[in-house]
Amino acid sequence: MIKLLHVEDDADIREIADMALSLSGEFDVVQCETGEAALAYVENYTPDVVLLDMMMPGMTGRQTLEKMREKPEFATVPAIFMTARAQHAEIDELLQIGAADVISKPFDPISLGDQIKEAMQKAGMTAAA
Amino acid sequence: MRPVYFKGDTAFSAALGCGLAAGWYGAASAVFPEAAGGIIPAAGAIGIAGFLPVVLGTRPFGQKAPEAARSHSNMLKQLQALDMHAGINMVSNEGILSEVNDHLLALTGYDRKELIGQHVKMLYDEVSQSQTCDIRNFLEQGSTWQGETHLRRKDGSTLVTQATIIPIFDKKGNWAGSISARTDVTETSKLQAERHSAQTLNELRDDIWIIDAQTEKFSYLNGSAKERLKLVNEEYLEKDLGDFNLASEIESVLKACRALRASGDVTTQFEAELVGTPMYVSIKYLPDPRGAGRYLIVSTDISHRLEQEQRKSAFISTVSHELRSPLTSIKGAMGLLLSGSAGELPDKALALLEIAHRNADRLILIINDILDMDKISNGQMEFDISDVDLVELLKEADRANAMLQQRFGVVVTLSGADKPVFLKTDPNRFIQVLTNLMSNAYKFSPPNGRIVLDIADAGEHVRVSVKDEGQGIPLAEQGKIFDRFADMTNSDRAAMGGTGLGLSICKAIVENLGGTIGFDTKEGVGTTFFFNLPKNEPASNAVDDVDVKRIA
């Protein structure tokens, strides 16, 4: 099972993502409503992959990742962003700070799991290289 | 200038004296506007008013013979001075010229015989011809008319005169004609007009620079420009442009000026930041056959406009992105239902769900188009250029649209795609244009219609085309097909799911990539949309060393 931490402030989107990721039965999903709650949760939990919404009240997805990266065990955990503002410049910026992928909203729930696994694979290859 | 009228004496000599005195005063005032207390005009006027009646035999009471002789001599000199100073003519009561002095001939360029016997109107230009009735009315009533008249010289140019026209009466007291004295104030008038123009230019809120194309120094700056460049008086006139504190900003404009002159064009416009203020800069090259000419640069502060545009853009962006969150849930929920992950649904429910899902897609398309259009309007559309195989992109677009092809029941074939075609372009934008043209082709194709995606070498360009077997584009719509919302004027087309922005976005993208877009169409046969991309690197998006944004 792939341990996935999903940080998203919109409850409906959390539910849809949870259902979508449960389709393949390959993901063990933990969901947090805010960046702050996610940071508190990871004190005792290290996921295999983090799925972060960009725009959230309080800490943004980017700020949350930066805080997580301060923990040594998070140094190589692939992070995938979800954003409704999928513009070239923003995507490039997120990829440059180490994002494994950037998924645009609205996303396709059927292929979401595959998209995450693909990004993890790519990030793993990059880390190995 | 507003005319001034004098009520005249019935005695011709006195009237002539007073009239010419008034003429002298008016003319001299125009010529010597700065004369202290009006001494020069007043002195002349008094002299003429006093002496002319004498020479014509109406000696004032109590004047003795030797005094009269001296007065007579002085008066003749005065008249001689007037004759040399002013253009004088006499006309009959029918307006026919009977006498003209040499000075008037010199001023107008005519010979005496060309004028004598002609109507005085021939001397007036269009402006003053309308004055003649007015003048005549005053003269008939015994009044003297004084004001500005515009004469037409023989060469067609305008002669501005300050004129005094007094009526002449015969022995019975009937109005017989008039005598006019005119002073040339053309130069004064021009100077006044120039002074008014200069004052207006100086007060304009726009910055105005004039740069000599030869010396490349400022020859004029208006008040706003001097304030922006922090200059006082005329200190800038002799300074080299490189010596200003803001040399780099001035240099950037100068470079644009040089480029304009070298290109052979006359005008250019662009946006640039000058002294921390975003400006719309418009340059006009004014050639001069006697020299290198001048550059006229008018810069308008656009910070307020940009702020408004940014606010509008931020609003559009926020609203559009805010719409995506609920759409994510709507589309996600429907996608899961359609996939059967929430259990099997009856066929009718599935069919309804498909409609809702399809329309959620359409809404997303509209939002994307609105965002793209906004970016295009603000010149903020981003391009990520790389070396790509267009054939591979063509195949990718074809694969991505497979479901849509199925839905519309069309058959797509690829042509010319048997070997790679490498080009430097933006792959995402290329696919966006192609997808848009393809979806249009699907929408307007008959069932089982054939669509051909073609890629071909067209010399300096690569030509990509999408050919359909639809109804073609009616002639009335052809001219506006790339306009925003052009599609929406046709309700059938709107019903097909177009936003009315697609083709205008395609055009903007292709042009930003340095290419061109167009179509061939025949009603009842079909349409081929095509775009040509240059084989060399797209240049339009490159930042030039002037660091300005050129405006289409």
Side-chain angles (χ1 to χ4, degrees):
Chain A
M1 291 286 268
I2 301 165
K3 288 194 288 178
L4 182 142
L5 174 64
H6 183 203
V7 192
E8 165 68 63
D9 63 307
D10 189 313
D12 291 339
I13 295 176
R14 281 203 305 276
E15 196 174 336
I16 284 160
D18 190 33
M19 278 183 74
L21 293 170
S22 67
L23 289 175
S24 66
E26 292 173 276
F27 290 92
D28 175 15
V29 180
V30 171
Q31 292 184 315
C32 294
E33 194 177 342
T34 62
E36 290 84 349
L39 286 172
Y41 196 84
V42 297
E43 285 297 320
N44 303 304
Y45 174 79
T46 307
D48 299 320
V49 60
V50 194
L51 183 60
L52 291 149
D53 180 30
M54 261 303 289
M55 299 284 286
M56 292 185 288
M59 291 177 80
T60 65
R62 184 178 171 157
Q63 288 166 337
T64 309
L65 180 67
E66 279 166 1
K67 279 281 173 199
M68 283 179 178
R69 288 274 192 243
E70 288 174 10
K71 290 162 68 76
E73 60 271 32
F74 262 91
T76 56
V77 174
I80 298 164
F81 284 100
M82 267 199 182
T83 177
R85 294 176 181 266
Q87 292 175 19
H88 280 312
E90 191 189 22
I91 292 172
D92 287 348
E93 207 180 311
L94 293 173
L95 292 174
Q96 270 171 13
I97 63 159
D101 200 1
V102 180
I103 296 173
S104 300
K105 286 180 179 177
F107 57 87
D108 174 17
I110 311 303
S111 62
L112 181 64
D114 288 341
Q115 219 173 333
I116 291 170
K117 282 191 288 181
E118 206 175 301
M120 286 176 72
Q121 206 175 5
K122 216 163 66 181
M125 282 166 68
T126 311
Chain B
M1 190 180 288
R2 185 181 291 237
V4 180
Y5 306 101
F6 297 90
K7 195 72 181 168
D9 192 342
T10 49
F12 168 65
S13 59
L16 185 58
C18 289
L20 291 185
W24 166 268
Y25 185 85
S29 298
V31 176
F32 305 107
E34 309 297 336
I39 290 168
I40 297 169
I46 292 162
I48 295 168
F51 288 110
L52 197 64
V54 180
V55 80
L56 294 173
T58 54
R59 186 193 307 164
F61 290 115
Q63 202 171 53
K64 292 178 180 171
E67 287 172 15
R70 269 199 307 278
S71 296
H72 186 253
S73 163
N74 285 341
M75 191 273 306
L76 281 176
K77 284 177 186 165
Q78 295 270 3
L79 277 182
Q80 194 181 358
L82 178 65
D83 187 46
M84 288 169 74
H85 175 83
I88 297 172
N89 67 270
M90 286 180 78
V91 297
S92 70
N93 58 4
E94 287 170 340
I96 304 301
L97 286 159
S98 56
E99 290 290 342
V100 288
N101 74 342
D102 290 343
H103 194 78
L104 188 70
L105 297 175
L107 287 176
T108 59
Y110 285 104
D111 286 338
R112 183 165 274 105
K113 56 187 172 191
E114 286 175 309
L115 292 179
I116 302 299
Q118 298 297 322
H119 197 283
V120 71
K121 273 189 179 179
M122 82 169 278
L123 274 176
Y124 286 169
D125 76 353
E126 292 77 9
V127 177
S128 284
Q129 286 203 3
S130 59
Q131 289 176 299
T132 52
C133 275
D134 223 19
I135 295 171
R136 187 188 166 93
N137 285 342
F138 272 89
L139 297 175
E140 272 181 326
Q141 290 163 23
S143 300
T144 295
W145 186 91
Q146 192 176 48
E148 194 173 282
T149 55
H150 290 209
L151 304 192
R152 187 168 39 216
R153 292 191 184 98
K154 191 178 177 182
D155 65 8
S157 60
T158 297
L159 171 72
V160 184
T161 66
Q162 183 66 31
T164 295
I165 308 175
I166 61 169
I168 305 169
F169 296 88
D170 63 17
K171 286 177 183 171
K172 292 177 183 170
N174 295 319
W175 177 52
S178 64
I179 180 164
S180 311
R182 305 171 195 274
T183 306
D184 179 5
V185 291
T186 311
E187 286 307 312
T188 314
S189 176
K190 267 190 205 163
L191 283 172
Q192 272 177 347
E194 280 171 14
R195 199 180 303 149
H196 287 152
S197 303
Q199 277 171 351
T200 309
L201 281 182
N202 202 48
E203 293 303 319
L204 273 183
R205 290 177 66 187
D206 291 343
D207 292 13
I208 297 174
W209 305 359
I210 298 176
I211 297 177
D212 186 298
Q214 181 69 45
T215 62
E216 295 194 338
K217 287 180 180 177
F218 285 125
S219 59
Y220 175 78
L221 289 174
N222 75 340
S224 176
K226 280 195 273 193
E227 200 176 315
R228 195 174 308 282
L229 300 176
K230 296 187 176 55
L231 298 169
V232 284
N233 303 326
E234 311 305 314
E235 63 184 69
Y236 60 86
L237 285 173
E238 290 306 316
K239 230 169 157 180
D240 279 326
L241 296 186
D243 292 342
F244 287 88
N245 287 337
L246 310 150
S248 67
E249 284 159 308
I250 293 172
E251 187 65 24
S252 73
V253 174
L254 191 58
K255 274 185 186 174
C257 288
R258 290 180 191 139
L260 172 71
R261 192 176 160 205
S263 71
D265 289 339
V266 178
T267 59
T268 185
Q269 297 86 28
F270 52 86
E271 286 174 17
E273 197 170 288
L274 297 177
V275 203
T277 307
M279 309 284 281
Y280 178 86
V281 183
S282 173
I283 303 177
K284 184 164 190 179
Y285 172 56
L286 308 168
D288 182 351
R290 292 165 299 177
R294 292 169 298 164
Y295 302 114
L296 170 66
I297 299 128
V298 182
S299 308
T300 309
D301 182 346
I302 52 167
S303 48
H304 182 62
R305 195 195 83 197
L306 289 184
E307 268 171 37
Q308 280 186 323
E309 279 176 6
Q310 273 165 5
R311 273 204 292 273
K312 187 195 85 181
S313 190
F315 174 76
I316 290 173
S317 174
T318 305
V319 169
S320 304
H321 291 113
E322 285 303 317
L323 286 171
R324 282 174 188 262
S325 290
L327 266 170
T328 303
S329 301
I330 293 167
K331 195 169 173 277
M334 289 190 295
L336 287 169
L337 281 171
L338 283 169
S339 73
S341 54
E344 287 297 311
L345 290 175
D347 286 350
K348 281 187 180 174
L350 270 178
L352 289 170
L353 208 53
E354 268 173 13
I355 293 170
H357 192 250
R358 203 164 55 236
N359 280 280
D361 277 341
R362 191 177 155 195
L363 208 52
I364 292 162
L365 215 69
I366 293 169
I367 292 168
N368 290 343
D369 278 359
I370 289 170
L371 279 171
D372 272 348
M373 209 65 234
D374 187 51
K375 279 186 237 164
I376 288 165
S377 303
N378 296 325
Q380 289 171 343
M381 184 167 252
E382 298 161 347
F383 291 89
D384 193 2
I385 308 295
S386 57
D387 207 355
V388 287
D389 176 10
L390 296 188
V391 169
E392 200 45 53
L393 295 179
L394 213 67
K395 288 176 181 170
E396 194 180 320
D398 184 35
R399 279 194 298 272
N401 286 288
M403 277 184 62
L404 212 58
Q405 289 166 20
Q406 248 182 345
R407 206 180 105 206
F408 284 98
V410 291
V411 182
V412 179
T413 53
L414 269 61
S415 155
D418 47 346
K419 57 180 180 191
V421 176
F422 282 96
L423 199 80
K424 276 189 166 43
T425 193
D426 181 325
N428 292 318
R429 296 295 180 194
F430 178 88
I431 288 181
Q432 187 179 349
V433 172
L434 197 56
T435 300
N436 196 293
L437 299 183
M438 284 162 72
S439 68
N440 279 349
Y442 302 162
K443 282 187 258 178
F444 298 110
S445 283
N448 299 319
R450 285 173 304 173
I451 287 165
V452 182
L453 295 185
D454 182 64
I455 182 161
D457 190 316
E460 291 179 351
H461 294 83
V462 173
R463 179 187 163 104
V464 180
S465 61
V466 182
K467 184 181 179 187
D468 67 48
E469 293 178 336
Q471 284 302 304
I473 303 164
L475 191 64
E477 287 184 36
Q478 289 178 15
K480 54 187 180 184
I481 203 82
F482 290 108
D483 293 349
R484 290 183 201 181
F485 306 111
D487 211 19
M488 300 305 281
T489 55
N490 183 323
S491 57
D492 289 345
R493 283 164 181 256
M496 292 286 194
T499 61
L501 293 171
L503 284 175
S504 64
I505 291 170
C506 286
K507 184 170 187 279
I509 291 173
V510 170
E511 287 175 355
N512 268 284
L513 291 171
T516 53
I517 190 166
F519 62 89
D520 294 319
T521 188
K522 196 168 181 186
E523 282 192 68
V525 177
T527 303
T528 303
F529 272 92
F530 59 85
F531 58 98
N532 297 313
L533 292 177
K535 284 180 181 171
N536 53 347
E537 279 188 61
S540 68
N541 223 32
V543 177
D544 58 22
D545 59 353
V546 179
D547 195 23
V548 293
K549 187 170 80 179
R550 205 159 288 281
I551 295 159

